[in-house]
Tab-separated table of all heavy atoms in Angstrom:
chain	number	residue	atom	x	y	z
A	1	GLY	N	10.118	-9.362	37.948
A	1	GLY	CA	8.680	-9.240	37.710
A	1	GLY	C	8.181	-7.813	37.853
A	1	GLY	O	8.908	-6.912	38.278
A	2	THR	N	6.922	-7.601	37.478
A	2	THR	CA	6.304	-6.282	37.636
A	2	THR	C	4.913	-6.415	38.235
A	2	THR	O	4.300	-7.476	38.188
A	2	THR	CB	6.198	-5.528	36.286
A	2	THR	OG1	5.468	-6.328	35.340
A	2	THR	CG2	7.571	-5.191	35.737
A	3	ILE	N	4.444	-5.304	38.801
A	3	ILE	CA	3.112	-5.250	39.403
A	3	ILE	C	2.315	-4.136	38.746
A	3	ILE	O	2.852	-3.062	38.444
A	3	ILE	CB	3.198	-5.038	40.933
A	3	ILE	CG1	1.796	-5.085	41.565
A	3	ILE	CG2	3.919	-3.749	41.292
A	3	ILE	CD1	1.814	-5.120	43.095
A	4	TRP	N	1.050	-4.418	38.477
A	4	TRP	CA	0.110	-3.439	37.926
A	4	TRP	C	-1.011	-3.260	38.946
A	4	TRP	O	-1.563	-4.242	39.439
A	4	TRP	CB	-0.492	-3.942	36.614
A	4	TRP	CG	0.478	-4.216	35.505
A	4	TRP	CD1	1.334	-5.280	35.410
A	4	TRP	CD2	0.666	-3.440	34.316
A	4	TRP	NE1	2.041	-5.217	34.242
A	4	TRP	CE2	1.654	-4.098	33.548
A	4	TRP	CE3	0.093	-2.273	33.825
A	4	TRP	CZ2	2.088	-3.615	32.312
A	4	TRP	CZ3	0.514	-1.793	32.590
A	4	TRP	CH2	1.494	-2.455	31.849
A	5	ILE	N	-1.359	-2.009	39.247
A	5	ILE	CA	-2.418	-1.743	40.220
A	5	ILE	C	-3.381	-0.712	39.640
A	5	ILE	O	-2.981	0.380	39.245
A	5	ILE	CB	-1.857	-1.229	41.558
A	5	ILE	CG1	-0.785	-2.177	42.091
A	5	ILE	CG2	-2.983	-1.080	42.570
A	5	ILE	CD1	-0.101	-1.681	43.355
A	6	SER	N	-4.659	-1.077	39.638
A	6	SER	CA	-5.704	-0.207	39.110
A	6	SER	C	-6.390	0.546	40.246
A	6	SER	O	-6.572	0.021	41.343
A	6	SER	CB	-6.738	-1.052	38.352
A	6	SER	OG	-7.819	-0.257	37.923
A	7	GLY	N	-6.758	1.795	39.970
A	7	GLY	CA	-7.464	2.564	40.991
A	7	GLY	C	-8.049	3.851	40.439
A	7	GLY	O	-7.888	4.186	39.260
A	8	THR	N	-8.718	4.563	41.298
A	8	THR	CA	-9.301	5.866	40.963
A	8	THR	C	-8.715	6.911	41.901
A	8	THR	O	-7.877	6.605	42.753
A	8	THR	CB	-10.831	5.843	41.119
A	8	THR	OG1	-11.146	5.642	42.510
A	8	THR	CG2	-11.456	4.725	40.292
A	9	LEU	N	-9.185	8.127	41.772
A	9	LEU	CA	-8.693	9.200	42.632
A	9	LEU	C	-8.899	8.892	44.118
A	9	LEU	O	-8.239	9.469	44.984
A	9	LEU	CB	-9.380	10.525	42.274
A	9	LEU	CG	-10.909	10.597	42.387
A	9	LEU	CD1	-11.344	11.028	43.782
A	9	LEU	CD2	-11.470	11.574	41.354
A	10	HIS	N	-9.787	7.962	44.427
A	10	HIS	CA	-10.098	7.650	45.819
A	10	HIS	C	-8.998	6.866	46.521
A	10	HIS	O	-8.923	6.877	47.749
A	10	HIS	CB	-11.411	6.872	45.897
A	10	HIS	CG	-12.539	7.559	45.202
A	10	HIS	ND1	-12.845	7.313	43.871
A	10	HIS	CD2	-13.408	8.496	45.637
A	10	HIS	CE1	-13.874	8.074	43.533
A	10	HIS	NE2	-14.234	8.794	44.566
A	11	ASN	N	-8.158	6.155	45.731
A	11	ASN	CA	-7.130	5.344	46.388
A	11	ASN	C	-5.776	5.343	45.687
A	11	ASN	O	-4.791	4.899	46.252
A	11	ASN	CB	-7.613	3.892	46.537
A	11	ASN	CG	-7.708	3.160	45.211
A	11	ASN	OD1	-7.808	3.773	44.154
A	11	ASN	ND2	-7.679	1.840	45.258
A	12	ILE	N	-5.703	5.855	44.469
A	12	ILE	CA	-4.491	5.674	43.670
A	12	ILE	C	-3.308	6.469	44.204
A	12	ILE	O	-2.151	6.078	44.040
A	12	ILE	CB	-4.753	6.001	42.182
A	12	ILE	CG1	-3.705	5.315	41.292
A	12	ILE	CG2	-4.803	7.501	41.947
A	12	ILE	CD1	-3.787	3.818	41.282
A	13	TYR	N	-3.571	7.584	44.879
A	13	TYR	CA	-2.455	8.386	45.402
A	13	TYR	C	-1.823	7.705	46.605
A	13	TYR	O	-0.602	7.727	46.781
A	13	TYR	CB	-2.940	9.799	45.734
A	13	TYR	CG	-3.492	10.489	44.511
A	13	TYR	CD1	-4.863	10.681	44.342
A	13	TYR	CD2	-2.640	10.913	43.487
A	13	TYR	CE1	-5.361	11.270	43.193
A	13	TYR	CE2	-3.128	11.500	42.342
A	13	TYR	CZ	-4.503	11.677	42.201
A	13	TYR	OH	-4.989	12.261	41.061
A	14	SER	N	-2.637	7.077	47.425
A	14	SER	CA	-2.110	6.266	48.520
A	14	SER	C	-1.300	5.106	47.966
A	14	SER	O	-0.209	4.777	48.468
A	14	SER	CB	-3.256	5.736	49.390
A	14	SER	OG	-2.817	4.711	50.253
A	15	ILE	N	-1.812	4.470	46.919
A	15	ILE	CA	-1.124	3.324	46.326
A	15	ILE	C	0.224	3.735	45.745
A	15	ILE	O	1.236	3.043	45.921
A	15	ILE	CB	-2.016	2.665	45.260
A	15	ILE	CG1	-3.149	1.889	45.951
A	15	ILE	CG2	-1.211	1.741	44.350
A	15	ILE	CD1	-4.237	1.434	45.036
A	16	GLY	N	0.258	4.872	45.054
A	16	GLY	CA	1.517	5.343	44.493
A	16	GLY	C	2.561	5.578	45.575
A	16	GLY	O	3.729	5.190	45.433
A	17	MET	N	2.162	6.194	46.665
A	17	MET	CA	3.078	6.424	47.784
A	17	MET	C	3.491	5.106	48.424
A	17	MET	O	4.675	4.892	48.727
A	17	MET	CB	2.398	7.315	48.823
A	17	MET	CG	3.267	7.601	50.042
A	17	MET	SD	4.733	8.583	49.674
A	17	MET	CE	3.980	10.204	49.492
A	18	ALA	N	2.525	4.200	48.610
A	18	ALA	CA	2.831	2.907	49.234
A	18	ALA	C	3.816	2.105	48.394
A	18	ALA	O	4.707	1.430	48.926
A	18	ALA	CB	1.539	2.115	49.455
A	19	LEU	N	3.685	2.155	47.079
A	19	LEU	CA	4.620	1.454	46.201
A	19	LEU	C	6.056	1.913	46.455
A	19	LEU	O	6.968	1.094	46.607
A	19	LEU	CB	4.248	1.685	44.734
A	19	LEU	CG	3.117	0.841	44.161
A	19	LEU	CD1	2.673	1.389	42.811
A	19	LEU	CD2	3.529	-0.623	44.019
A	20	GLU	N	6.258	3.211	46.501
A	20	GLU	CA	7.602	3.731	46.709
A	20	GLU	C	8.097	3.428	48.124
A	20	GLU	O	9.278	3.107	48.326
A	20	GLU	CB	7.630	5.231	46.423
A	20	GLU	CG	7.357	5.558	44.956
A	20	GLU	CD	7.610	7.008	44.607
A	20	GLU	OE1	7.629	7.849	45.530
A	20	GLU	OE2	7.803	7.302	43.414
A	21	GLU	N	7.213	3.510	49.096
A	21	GLU	CA	7.599	3.220	50.480
A	21	GLU	C	8.012	1.758	50.660
A	21	GLU	O	8.852	1.447	51.512
A	21	GLU	CB	6.442	3.556	51.423
A	21	GLU	CG	6.196	5.040	51.588
A	21	GLU	CD	4.944	5.354	52.394
A	21	GLU	OE1	3.993	4.527	52.367
A	21	GLU	OE2	4.900	6.407	53.038
A	22	GLU	N	7.436	0.875	49.862
A	22	GLU	CA	7.710	-0.558	50.019
A	22	GLU	C	8.731	-1.091	49.013
A	22	GLU	O	8.849	-2.284	48.808
A	22	GLU	CB	6.402	-1.351	49.907
A	22	GLU	CG	5.398	-1.020	51.007
A	22	GLU	CD	5.948	-1.221	52.410
A	22	GLU	OE1	6.834	-2.081	52.586
A	22	GLU	OE2	5.496	-0.514	53.338
A	23	GLY	N	9.490	-0.181	48.370
A	23	GLY	CA	10.623	-0.618	47.568
A	23	GLY	C	10.378	-0.780	46.085
A	23	GLY	O	11.206	-1.379	45.387
A	24	PHE	N	9.276	-0.243	45.580
A	24	PHE	CA	8.998	-0.308	44.146
A	24	PHE	C	9.363	1.002	43.458
A	24	PHE	O	9.416	2.059	44.088
A	24	PHE	CB	7.511	-0.590	43.899
A	24	PHE	CG	7.100	-2.018	44.124
A	24	PHE	CD1	6.503	-2.411	45.317
A	24	PHE	CD2	7.288	-2.975	43.143
A	24	PHE	CE1	6.111	-3.723	45.533
A	24	PHE	CE2	6.907	-4.288	43.334
A	24	PHE	CZ	6.316	-4.665	44.533
A	25	LYS	N	9.581	0.912	42.163
A	25	LYS	CA	9.802	2.094	41.321
A	25	LYS	C	8.735	2.096	40.238
A	25	LYS	O	8.578	1.098	39.512
A	25	LYS	CB	11.192	2.049	40.688
A	25	LYS	CG	11.533	3.278	39.848
A	25	LYS	CD	12.935	3.172	39.291
A	25	LYS	CE	13.303	4.387	38.434
A	25	LYS	NZ	13.317	5.632	39.228
A	26	ILE	N	7.983	3.169	40.116
A	26	ILE	CA	6.900	3.244	39.132
A	26	ILE	C	7.476	3.426	37.733
A	26	ILE	O	8.293	4.319	37.489
A	26	ILE	CB	5.916	4.373	39.487
A	26	ILE	CG1	5.235	4.082	40.836
A	26	ILE	CG2	4.869	4.549	38.383
A	26	ILE	CD1	4.375	5.203	41.364
A	27	ILE	N	7.040	2.566	36.815
A	27	ILE	CA	7.514	2.601	35.425
A	27	ILE	C	6.626	3.515	34.587
A	27	ILE	O	7.111	4.366	33.832
A	27	ILE	CB	7.499	1.182	34.808
A	27	ILE	CG1	8.338	0.216	35.642
A	27	ILE	CG2	7.993	1.221	33.367
A	27	ILE	CD1	8.120	-1.251	35.274
A	28	ASN	N	5.322	3.305	34.697
A	28	ASN	CA	4.348	4.078	33.918
A	28	ASN	C	3.094	4.341	34.727
A	28	ASN	O	2.725	3.563	35.609
A	28	ASN	CB	3.931	3.340	32.643
A	28	ASN	CG	4.796	3.633	31.441
A	28	ASN	OD1	5.380	2.731	30.850
A	28	ASN	ND2	4.904	4.894	31.047
A	29	ASN	N	2.455	5.450	34.366
A	29	ASN	CA	1.137	5.811	34.881
A	29	ASN	C	0.173	5.700	33.698
A	29	ASN	O	0.086	6.594	32.864
A	29	ASN	CB	1.190	7.240	35.429
A	29	ASN	CG	-0.141	7.720	35.981
A	29	ASN	OD1	-0.294	7.845	37.179
A	29	ASN	ND2	-1.097	8.024	35.114
A	30	ILE	N	-0.506	4.562	33.594
A	30	ILE	CA	-1.422	4.336	32.480
A	30	ILE	C	-2.780	4.950	32.797
A	30	ILE	O	-3.336	4.734	33.882
A	30	ILE	CB	-1.608	2.824	32.209
A	30	ILE	CG1	-0.256	2.138	31.962
A	30	ILE	CG2	-2.569	2.597	31.037
A	30	ILE	CD1	0.467	2.593	30.735
A	31	THR	N	-3.306	5.724	31.870
A	31	THR	CA	-4.654	6.272	32.013
A	31	THR	C	-5.605	5.453	31.148
A	31	THR	O	-5.446	5.391	29.923
A	31	THR	CB	-4.716	7.742	31.576
A	31	THR	OG1	-3.845	8.510	32.418
A	31	THR	CG2	-6.135	8.286	31.693
A	32	TRP	N	-6.559	4.797	31.795
A	32	TRP	CA	-7.597	4.068	31.071
A	32	TRP	C	-8.759	5.027	30.836
A	32	TRP	O	-9.451	5.415	31.761
A	32	TRP	CB	-8.046	2.836	31.859
A	32	TRP	CG	-9.277	2.182	31.285
A	32	TRP	CD1	-9.640	2.118	29.980
A	32	TRP	CD2	-10.321	1.519	32.016
A	32	TRP	NE1	-10.839	1.457	29.839
A	32	TRP	CE2	-11.273	1.079	31.073
A	32	TRP	CE3	-10.520	1.254	33.374
A	32	TRP	CZ2	-12.430	0.398	31.458
A	32	TRP	CZ3	-11.666	0.577	33.751
A	32	TRP	CH2	-12.609	0.148	32.794
A	33	GLN	N	-8.950	5.399	29.586
A	33	GLN	CA	-10.029	6.307	29.199
A	33	GLN	C	-11.232	5.494	28.748
A	33	GLN	O	-11.136	4.714	27.799
A	33	GLN	CB	-9.565	7.241	28.075
A	33	GLN	CG	-10.610	8.256	27.649
A	33	GLN	CD	-10.123	9.130	26.508
A	33	GLN	OE1	-9.304	8.711	25.697
A	33	GLN	NE2	-10.620	10.348	26.454
A	34	LYS	N	-12.359	5.691	29.403
A	34	LYS	CA	-13.569	4.926	29.110
A	34	LYS	C	-14.389	5.648	28.041
A	34	LYS	O	-14.683	6.837	28.155
A	34	LYS	CB	-14.405	4.756	30.382
A	34	LYS	CG	-13.622	4.154	31.537
A	34	LYS	CD	-14.403	4.222	32.838
A	34	LYS	CE	-13.568	3.768	34.011
A	34	LYS	NZ	-14.296	3.879	35.305
């Protein structure tokens, strides 16, 4: 399976680090342009 997590500059850097710390490998960094 895969996990997708949405965020902004306020939390996304913590999330990216937490993913790697908890055994995940990031596949893509999707930028949602509004």
Side-chain angles (χ1 to χ4, degrees):
T2 56
I3 184 170
W4 300 74
I5 307 175
S6 175
T8 65
L9 60 89
H10 306 92
N11 69 338
I12 202 67
Y13 300 106
S14 166
I15 286 168
M17 179 66 76
L19 280 168
E20 294 190 340
E21 288 173 331
E22 297 304 331
F24 283 99
K25 183 178 180 63
I26 297 173
I27 303 167
N28 271 122
N29 180 108
I30 304 295
T31 298
W32 170 33
Q33 182 182 29
K34 306 170 186 178

